[in-house]
mmCIF file of all heavy atoms in Angstrom:
data_model
loop_
_atom_site.group_PDB
_atom_site.id
_atom_site.type_symbol
_atom_site.label_atom_id
_atom_site.label_comp_id
_atom_site.label_asym_id
_atom_site.label_seq_id
_atom_site.Cartn_x
_atom_site.Cartn_y
_atom_site.Cartn_z
ATOM 1 N N GLY M 150 30.595 47.779 -59.390
ATOM 2 C CA GLY M 150 32.011 47.553 -59.635
ATOM 3 C C GLY M 150 32.819 48.812 -59.871
ATOM 4 O O GLY M 150 34.040 48.743 -60.024
ATOM 5 N N TYR M 151 32.156 49.995 -59.887
ATOM 6 C CA TYR M 151 32.856 51.243 -60.182
ATOM 7 C C TYR M 151 32.366 52.353 -59.258
ATOM 8 O O TYR M 151 31.250 52.315 -58.737
ATOM 9 C CB TYR M 151 32.639 51.665 -61.641
ATOM 10 C CG TYR M 151 33.310 50.752 -62.639
ATOM 11 C CD1 TYR M 151 32.678 49.590 -63.073
ATOM 12 C CD2 TYR M 151 34.580 51.033 -63.134
ATOM 13 C CE1 TYR M 151 33.293 48.735 -63.980
ATOM 14 C CE2 TYR M 151 35.198 50.191 -64.043
ATOM 15 C CZ TYR M 151 34.551 49.044 -64.461
ATOM 16 O OH TYR M 151 35.160 48.197 -65.358
ATOM 17 N N GLU M 152 33.243 53.357 -59.081
ATOM 18 C CA GLU M 152 32.889 54.559 -58.339
ATOM 19 C C GLU M 152 33.174 55.773 -59.212
ATOM 20 O O GLU M 152 34.212 55.842 -59.867
ATOM 21 C CB GLU M 152 33.697 54.653 -57.040
ATOM 22 C CG GLU M 152 33.401 53.536 -56.050
ATOM 23 C CD GLU M 152 34.310 53.585 -54.835
ATOM 24 O OE1 GLU M 152 35.182 54.488 -54.789
ATOM 25 O OE2 GLU M 152 34.164 52.736 -53.946
ATOM 26 N N THR M 153 32.246 56.718 -59.198
ATOM 27 C CA THR M 153 32.411 57.955 -59.954
ATOM 28 C C THR M 153 32.480 59.104 -58.958
ATOM 29 O O THR M 153 31.528 59.337 -58.207
ATOM 30 C CB THR M 153 31.237 58.166 -60.926
ATOM 31 O OG1 THR M 153 31.109 57.006 -61.760
ATOM 32 C CG2 THR M 153 31.475 59.383 -61.801
ATOM 33 N N LYS M 154 33.612 59.809 -58.962
ATOM 34 C CA LYS M 154 33.869 60.846 -57.964
ATOM 35 C C LYS M 154 33.889 62.218 -58.630
ATOM 36 O O LYS M 154 34.585 62.427 -59.621
ATOM 37 C CB LYS M 154 35.210 60.577 -57.272
ATOM 38 C CG LYS M 154 35.580 61.560 -56.179
ATOM 39 C CD LYS M 154 36.901 61.150 -55.535
ATOM 40 C CE LYS M 154 37.315 62.103 -54.440
ATOM 41 N NZ LYS M 154 38.612 61.705 -53.826
ATOM 42 N N VAL M 155 33.116 63.160 -58.069
ATOM 43 C CA VAL M 155 33.037 64.506 -58.637
ATOM 44 C C VAL M 155 33.023 65.523 -57.506
ATOM 45 O O VAL M 155 32.786 65.193 -56.342
ATOM 46 C CB VAL M 155 31.768 64.679 -59.503
ATOM 47 C CG1 VAL M 155 31.699 63.618 -60.578
ATOM 48 C CG2 VAL M 155 30.514 64.633 -58.639
ATOM 49 N N LEU M 156 33.265 66.781 -57.872
ATOM 50 C CA LEU M 156 33.153 67.886 -56.921
ATOM 51 C C LEU M 156 31.909 68.717 -57.196
ATOM 52 O O LEU M 156 31.351 69.326 -56.296
ATOM 53 C CB LEU M 156 34.407 68.767 -56.980
ATOM 54 C CG LEU M 156 35.714 68.063 -56.615
ATOM 55 C CD1 LEU M 156 36.887 69.029 -56.772
ATOM 56 C CD2 LEU M 156 35.668 67.527 -55.191
ATOM 57 N N GLY M 157 31.486 68.748 -58.432
ATOM 58 C CA GLY M 157 30.284 69.474 -58.815
ATOM 59 C C GLY M 157 30.168 69.467 -60.320
ATOM 60 O O GLY M 157 31.003 70.057 -61.005
ATOM 61 N N THR M 158 29.160 68.809 -60.853
ATOM 62 C CA THR M 158 29.093 68.624 -62.296
ATOM 63 C C THR M 158 27.753 68.020 -62.689
ATOM 64 O O THR M 158 26.898 67.763 -61.843
ATOM 65 C CB THR M 158 30.242 67.702 -62.758
ATOM 66 O OG1 THR M 158 30.221 67.597 -64.166
ATOM 67 C CG2 THR M 158 30.103 66.323 -62.162
ATOM 68 N N VAL M 159 27.603 67.762 -63.997
ATOM 69 C CA VAL M 159 26.421 67.073 -64.510
ATOM 70 C C VAL M 159 26.908 65.870 -65.305
ATOM 71 O O VAL M 159 27.707 66.008 -66.232
ATOM 72 C CB VAL M 159 25.573 67.989 -65.417
ATOM 73 C CG1 VAL M 159 24.352 67.226 -65.936
ATOM 74 C CG2 VAL M 159 25.144 69.236 -64.663
ATOM 75 N N PHE M 160 26.436 64.698 -64.942
ATOM 76 C CA PHE M 160 26.872 63.479 -65.627
ATOM 77 C C PHE M 160 25.792 62.417 -65.523
ATOM 78 O O PHE M 160 24.853 62.525 -64.726
ATOM 79 C CB PHE M 160 28.185 62.959 -65.038
ATOM 80 C CG PHE M 160 28.084 62.522 -63.601
ATOM 81 C CD1 PHE M 160 27.944 61.183 -63.269
ATOM 82 C CD2 PHE M 160 28.131 63.452 -62.570
ATOM 83 C CE1 PHE M 160 27.852 60.780 -61.947
ATOM 84 C CE2 PHE M 160 28.045 63.058 -61.244
ATOM 85 C CZ PHE M 160 27.905 61.726 -60.933
ATOM 86 N N LYS M 161 25.957 61.384 -66.325
ATOM 87 C CA LYS M 161 24.987 60.291 -66.371
ATOM 88 C C LYS M 161 25.708 58.970 -66.153
ATOM 89 O O LYS M 161 26.771 58.733 -66.725
ATOM 90 C CB LYS M 161 24.268 60.276 -67.725
ATOM 91 C CG LYS M 161 23.250 59.145 -67.896
ATOM 92 C CD LYS M 161 22.624 59.202 -69.283
ATOM 93 C CE LYS M 161 21.616 58.086 -69.491
ATOM 94 N NZ LYS M 161 21.031 58.134 -70.861
ATOM 95 N N VAL M 162 25.117 58.121 -65.328
ATOM 96 C CA VAL M 162 25.647 56.777 -65.094
ATOM 97 C C VAL M 162 24.630 55.771 -65.614
ATOM 98 O O VAL M 162 23.449 55.832 -65.253
ATOM 99 C CB VAL M 162 25.911 56.524 -63.595
ATOM 100 C CG1 VAL M 162 26.348 55.076 -63.364
ATOM 101 C CG2 VAL M 162 26.973 57.482 -63.075
#
Side-chain angles (χ1 to χ4, degrees):
Y151 292 85
E152 296 175 359
T153 305
K154 182 178 180 181
V155 305
L156 299 178
T158 184
V159 180
F160 64 99
K161 179 181 180 181
V162 175

